[in-house]
Amino acid sequence: MSEALLVVEDLHVEIPTRRGTVEAVRGASFTVERGETFALVGESGSGKTMTCRAILRLVHPPGAITRGSIRFQGRDLVHLPEREVQRIRGTTVVMVFQDPMTALNPVLTVEEQITEAVPRSPSPASRRSRALELLRQVGMPDPERRLGAYPHQLSGGQRQRVMLAIALARRPALLVADEPTTALDVTIQAQILRLIVRLQKEYEMALILVTHDLGVVYQVVDRVAVMYAGQVVELATKADLFAHPRHPYTIGLIRSIPSVDRRRRLTPIPGIPPDLVGLGPGCPFAPRCAWASDECRAGEIPFLRVGEGHWSRCLKALQVGAAADA
Amino acid sequence: MPEPLLEVRDLVKHFPLPRTLLDAALRRPQETVRAVDGVSFRLSRGKTLGLVGESGCGKSTLGRCILRLYEADEGEVRFGGVDLMRLDERELVPFRTRMQVVFQDPYASLNPRQAVGHTLLEVLDVHEIGAPGERRERMAHLLTQVGLSPGDAHKYPGEFSGGQRQRIGIARALAVEPELLIADEPLSALDVSIQAQILQLLLDLRTSLGLTMLFISHDLRVVRYLCDEVAVMYLGRIVERAATEDLFANPRHPYTIALLSAVPEVWSRPRDEIPIEGEPPSAMRIPRGCRFHPRCPWKVERCLAESPALERVRPDHEVACHVATARPAAGLPEAPAARPETAPEG
C-alpha cells in the first residue's frame, strides 16, 4: 500500500515565552490522501494554525518542532535542509492565509506577483498570458485590468482570488488554506469556498482547510480532525463526525452552533480552554467535561480507534458516543 | 398598537470624505459615503430586533446614530415618544442610562488599569444607581448575573478571557438598568463554544430583565436564535423586515434569499446556489434605482430606474423589491440558473 500524501505523526511544537513554554501542538497525528479535502477544526489556540505552519516549516524561532514527524510524498519535512524545504514550499505545498493583505506585497502589481510564481522558463509574454489565465480561473472580475492593480485597490474577496492564483501557478499537490474566508462577508465567503473546491478538483490537489466554522466543514470537506489544546481529539469522515461524534468536545461544539434552518436548543460548553503553558497530565478537556472522572485527569489519554477510520482521544468515547447518538 | 419604545424615522447619515487641495483645485465634486440612507423601523418594548447585513451596509452607523454617538443628518430617533435628535447634551443625560450599548471588542472599551469591580462601581456612582451603601452589593450581583463571581471584582480586564470580558461589558451596560440594550456584533470576536455561552446569557437576561434589544450582527444563525424580528440592511437601507420565523421561512427579497443560501450550515445539503453576482458596491457610489439591481438575477427594467420602498407583502412582513411586491402571495419566480462564481464588478 502506498503511503498517504501527507503523514503527520505525534507532532509537537513549542514556543518559549516569558511566561514559560507554550505547548502549541502536543501530539497531533493525521494523514491526508492525494486529492482529499481535509479540515482541521478548532477554536483559537487549539493549535490548528501552528500545525499547518509546521507542515510548511514556517514555525518561527524561538518556536520549534520538538518532536514527531511530517512526511510529505515520502520525504521527512522535519529534518529536510531549509534549501530543500524552500523548493517544496510555494511549489508542491502552498498556503493561503486569512488576511491576504498581509500576504501580498503592497508595492507590486497583481501581474508581478503572479508571474513571480509562474515557472521561469517561458517567455515574459507567455508568463503574462499564464497570469491572465490564472486570474480567469480564479474568477477575477475584469482580469485584464486587474493585472495592473495593486493589492490595496482590490476588495478582500479579490485579494483572496489573487492569493489563489499565485498558489495555483505551480500546480501544487497540496493546498493549505488557513481560515481563507473568515475575514470575508458571507456571500463572498460562499463564492470563495465554491471556487476553492472547484479549483481543488480541477487541479487534483489535496486541500487542508483550517477553520473554526463547522458549517464550512460540513459544506466542503471529506474528512475532519478536531483539535483542542494542541491535540487532535477526534478524527473521522465528515458523515461520521456529525452523525456519530465520539468526543465530548466535538459534541459540545456541534451543540453550540445556531442554525438558520431551525431553532435548536443550544447547549454551550461551560468554562474556557486551558492555558497552554504548563499543562499537566490528563485530558485537557476534563475541566469542561461532564463525563470526566479521576482516570481522565490522571495520565496521558491514548488516541483510540472507535470505528472504521474514526479515532477519539477520550477514555469514555463509547459511553459518550452512545449518549450522543441517542 | 402600543407605543414602540424606539422608533426611527427616515434616518440619514452621510459622511463627507475629506477633500485634498487637489480635489478643490480640480473642482471635483464632494464625495460622500451614504452609510445610512433613509431607514425607518419600530421596536416594541420587550422585543428584540435583529439588524443584519454585511460589512458596510450601515448597520453599526445606524446603531451609533440611535445612541447619538454620531449625529444623524436627517430623520427622527424617538425613544419613549421623545425625539432624541432634538435634545441638547444636558437633556440627553437621562436617556443615556435608559439605553446602553455593548460592542464587539469589550477590551477596547474597558479601562485596562482599573479593576473591573471599580469600573462597575464608578458607573453606579456616576449615575447614582441605588443608595451609596448598597452599591458594592449591587456590583457583586451584576457580576453574578453575567456568570462571573463576585471575587472577580478585583481582577483587571487583562486577566479575563475574551468571553469573560464580554460578560463584563454586558454587566457594565446592565449596571444602569437600561430599558434598551444595543448590542453591536457582541459575539463576533468570540470562539464558537464561548459565543454559545454569551448567546445563552443574552437570552436569559432578556427574559429575566424584560430588556428591549437591538441586536446588530452579520451572522444570520445567531440572529435567528435570539431575535423576535429581523431587518435586513443593504447599502444603507432596510430591504426586508419581518418576524423572525417568517423571514427565515419565507424570505422575499433577493438579497435576503442570497444571504440565507450563503450561510454554511451543518445538517443541510448545500443549498441551491442563488446566483447573486459580485460584491456590494461602495456606499460612495450607490447604484440608481434599486440599489441591489447590479447583483440581482431577478431584476426587471423598472429596478434600474426606480428605487423600491418597503411595502407590506404579508402581515408583519415588508419588502423593498419591485419583483417581490408584484407577487405578494407567490414570492419570487424560480431563480435563474446559477452561473459560475465568476463575477463582474458590482
Side-chain angles (χ1 to χ4, degrees):
Chain A
M1 202 178 90
S2 71
E3 195 180 66
L5 179 71
L6 177 75
V7 182
V8 176
E9 261 175 16
D10 195 32
L11 179 71
H12 286 251
V13 178
E14 294 183 358
I15 307 162
T17 67
R18 272 188 307 178
R19 286 198 310 126
T21 300
V22 175
E23 300 173 69
V25 183
R26 307 184 309 124
S29 304
F30 58 90
T31 60
V32 180
E33 303 289 337
R34 282 172 184 75
E36 186 183 28
T37 317
F38 184 81
L40 277 177
V41 194
E43 301 182 272
S44 333
S46 61
K48 56 192 193 301
T49 293
M50 204 43 88
T51 302
C52 289
R53 298 189 77 96
I55 293 169
L56 279 100
R57 281 266 299 270
L58 286 173
V59 178
H60 295 304
I65 299 172
T66 50
R67 211 164 91 197
S69 76
I70 302 169
R71 283 193 307 282
F72 176 73
Q73 294 179 330
R75 302 167 80 188
D76 176 6
L77 290 189
V78 176
H79 299 104
L80 218 54
E82 177 62 24
R83 214 159 42 83
E84 297 280 312
V85 174
Q86 279 178 9
R87 203 169 294 158
I88 293 174
R89 202 190 289 146
T91 56
T92 35
V93 185
V94 294
M95 189 158 177
V96 294
F97 299 90
Q98 174 174 344
D99 179 10
M101 195 58 198
T102 53
L104 291 169
N105 188 329
V107 298
L108 294 183
T109 63
V110 167
E111 179 179 352
E112 286 166 321
Q113 305 197 45
I114 300 177
T115 49
E116 208 170 67
V118 170
R120 283 248 159 258
S121 47
S123 68
S126 76
R127 294 235 296 270
R128 179 175 210 249
S129 70
R130 174 76 178 130
L132 195 57
E133 182 198 330
L134 282 163
L135 275 188
R136 286 213 181 89
Q137 281 177 1
V138 298
M140 178 68 90
D142 200 357
E144 283 89 354
R145 198 158 63 85
R146 291 288 185 281
L147 276 178
Y150 291 90
H152 76 269
Q153 297 170 312
L154 305 175
S155 69
Q158 290 167 346
R159 280 182 213 135
Q160 205 53 286
R161 289 177 199 271
V162 172
M163 282 306 298
L164 285 167
I166 294 170
L168 295 175
R170 295 292 186 101
R171 305 190 160 272
L174 173 63
L175 172 66
V176 180
D178 187 2
E179 302 268 11
T181 59
T182 304
L184 304 174
D185 274 322
V186 61
T187 56
I188 312 299
Q189 161 170 291
Q191 291 174 7
I192 299 289
L193 283 177
R194 255 179 289 157
L195 173 68
I196 290 177
V197 169
R198 198 198 75 209
L199 292 170
Q200 187 213 353
K201 293 211 174 77
E202 280 175 18
Y203 279 75
E204 297 171 340
M205 300 178 287
L207 171 68
I208 298 181
L209 182 68
V210 179
T211 179
H212 68 282
D213 190 333
L214 281 179
V216 169
V217 169
Y218 194 87
Q219 297 293 326
V220 172
V221 309
D222 306 322
R223 232 152 42 84
V224 191
V226 180
M227 291 195 71
Y228 186 79
Q231 296 177 328
V232 174
V233 294
E234 185 159 7
L235 180 67
T237 62
K238 173 179 76 183
D240 272 348
L241 188 89
F242 285 99
H244 309 291
R246 289 288 179 270
H247 194 284
Y249 177 64
T250 313
I251 295 168
L253 267 190
I254 293 173
R255 292 189 177 164
S256 293
I257 334 167
S259 152
V260 295
D261 268 355
R262 50 200 161 131
R263 214 181 268 208
R264 278 185 292 119
R265 236 195 94 67
L266 294 191
T267 327
I269 305 172
I272 56 172
D275 189 342
L276 294 174
V277 174
L279 259 185
C283 173
F285 189 64
R288 304 174 75 184
C289 180
W291 282 280
S293 62
D294 287 344
E295 46 177 351
C296 299
R297 298 182 191 97
E300 192 80 344
I301 312 293
F303 205 27
L304 298 168
R305 187 171 178 278
V306 292
E308 183 65 41
H310 194 158
W311 301 74
S312 168
R313 201 182 283 275
C314 174
L315 296 176
K316 310 272 172 78
L318 295 180
Q319 291 138 269
V320 165
D325 292 352
Chain B
M1 201 175 191
E3 168 99 12
L5 178 63
L6 176 71
E7 181 172 15
V8 171
R9 286 188 196 158
D10 302 316
L11 198 79
V12 172
K13 176 65 184 171
H14 292 177
F15 294 97
L17 287 188
R19 280 163 72 81
T20 63
L21 212 51
L22 186 66
D23 291 333
L26 295 175
R27 305 224 171 121
R28 288 183 184 146
Q30 169 71 54
E31 286 200 294
T32 329
V33 175
R34 289 154 66 185
V36 177
D37 210 22
V39 166
S40 306
F41 67 85
R42 300 155 69 96
L43 176 54
S44 305
R45 211 173 269 279
K47 295 286 184 193
T48 299
L49 171 68
L51 206 54
V52 293
E54 300 183 280
S55 355
C57 72
K59 55 191 191 300
S60 289
T61 305
L62 177 57
R64 281 160 201 241
C65 287
I66 293 168
L67 291 155
R68 287 246 335 232
L69 297 176
Y70 290 154
E71 296 299 335
D73 299 326
E74 290 169 32
E76 293 174 22
V77 175
R78 303 184 76 84
F79 185 83
V82 180
D83 184 3
L84 298 185
M85 285 177 58
R86 291 171 185 279
L87 304 184
D88 61 31
E89 270 307 321
R90 199 178 43 82
E91 294 167 318
L92 206 56
V93 169
F95 290 93
R96 292 267 180 236
T97 58
R98 293 177 65 188
M99 46 200 218
Q100 283 289 305
V101 60
V102 177
F103 291 112
Q104 173 174 345
D105 180 7
Y107 199 56
S109 55
L110 292 171
N111 183 347
R113 295 183 208 293
Q114 204 172 54
V116 301
H118 188 195
T119 300
L120 291 176
L121 277 176
E122 201 173 70
V123 174
L124 296 175
D125 286 342
V126 166
H127 294 285
E128 297 173 356
I129 309 287
E134 293 164 5
R135 283 181 196 150
R136 253 173 208 287
E137 200 179 315
R138 170 142 182 85
M139 181 263 287
H141 175 69
L142 279 166
L143 287 171
T144 318
Q145 213 170 18
V146 297
L148 297 170
S149 81
D152 289 327
H154 60 266
K155 290 195 200 160
Y156 290 82
E159 297 176 67
F160 293 95
S161 69
Q164 289 171 326
R165 276 182 219 138
Q166 197 52 287
R167 290 177 192 271
I168 296 162
I170 293 170
R172 189 180 53 180
L174 295 180
V176 299
E177 299 173 335
E179 292 158 63
L180 173 69
L181 185 67
I182 297 186
D184 189 356
E185 300 273 13
L187 309 174
S188 307
L190 306 176
D191 272 319
V192 190
S193 70
I194 308 300
Q195 179 177 310
Q197 293 175 3
I198 303 294
L199 192 53
Q200 199 60 52
L201 173 67
L202 286 172
L203 212 53
D204 294 345
L205 289 172
R206 190 187 63 177
T207 317
S208 59
L209 302 177
L211 280 173
T212 308
M213 213 182 323
L214 182 64
F215 187 80
I216 300 169
S217 176
H218 71 285
D219 191 336
L220 287 153
R221 296 182 278 199
V222 169
V223 164
R224 164 108 208 228
Y225 197 76
L226 189 65
C227 301
D228 302 302
E229 48 183 321
V230 181
V232 180
M233 280 189 79
Y234 186 76
L235 279 184
R237 286 266 175 92
I238 292 176
V239 295
E240 184 160 11
R241 193 205 58 75
T244 305
E245 289 305 316
D246 199 28
L247 186 101
F248 283 86
N250 306 299
R252 290 305 177 81
H253 196 282
Y255 179 63
T256 312
I257 295 172
L259 265 187
L260 283 173
S261 80
V263 176
E265 275 270 83
V266 176
W267 307 124
S268 62
R269 288 180 302 110
R271 291 152 205 271
D272 298 336
E273 297 299 348
I274 302 300
I276 73 161
E277 297 172 344
E279 305 183 4
S282 148
M284 286 183 296
R285 288 181 292 277
I286 289 181
R288 285 179 57 83
C290 170
R291 44 196 70 204
F292 186 62
H293 87 255
R295 303 175 74 193
C296 183
W298 284 280
K299 62 173 168 274
V300 294
E301 209 158 306
R302 190 177 170 200
C303 308
L304 278 58
E306 202 183 317
S307 178
L310 269 181
E311 280 180 47
R312 216 177 78 130
V313 285
R314 297 154 66 89
D316 204 19
H317 194 147
E318 298 171 310
V319 182
C321 170
H322 296 308
V323 180
T325 47
R327 305 161 55 99
L332 291 170
E334 186 110 328
R339 286 196 228 162
E341 64 287 324
T342 311
E345 190 69 325

